[in-house]
Amino acid sequence: MNCVFVQLRCRPGQAYKVADKVYEREIASELYSTSGDYDLLMKLYVPAGEDIGKYINDHILDIEGISRSLTTLTFKAF
């Protein structure tokens, strides 16, 4: 499994609806509301061998209300 963090920017007034949809899909290990340029921060595990970009595109970015995302790949936990 590959651990990645995805920040989501939502259209105005849509953050809670987007968070509910992410939660319903049971894909995020952790999901937080945040301050700053992005509204939500999620931690997810992408199955080994999966194309991370395609996985996120197919499972997250089709949610109504998301205007932008930023994905951070991880390499090693200390």
Side-chain angles (χ1 to χ4, degrees):
M1 298 287 246
N2 298 305
C3 177
V4 299
F5 291 88
V6 181
Q7 295 181 76
L8 301 173
R9 183 178 299 155
C10 303
R11 292 190 193 102
Q14 298 296 303
Y16 283 91
K17 291 178 185 176
V18 170
D20 287 342
K21 291 293 183 187
V22 170
Y23 180 75
E24 287 172 9
R25 293 183 182 197
E26 298 180 355
I27 193 168
S29 168
E30 299 174 44
L31 180 63
Y32 300 94
S33 60
T34 60
S35 62
D37 289 337
Y38 290 85
D39 301 296
L40 300 171
L41 171 66
M42 59 188 283
K43 178 181 180 182
L44 62 104
Y45 292 91
V46 177
E50 291 270 350
D51 179 300
I52 294 171
K54 182 167 178 20
Y55 186 87
I56 292 169
N57 190 63
D58 291 349
H59 293 89
I60 300 296
L61 299 182
D62 64 339
I63 295 173
E64 182 76 27
I66 296 173
S67 63
R68 187 177 177 112
S69 68
L70 174 67
T71 301
T72 302
L73 304 178
T74 63
F75 301 107
K76 180 179 179 177
F78 294 95

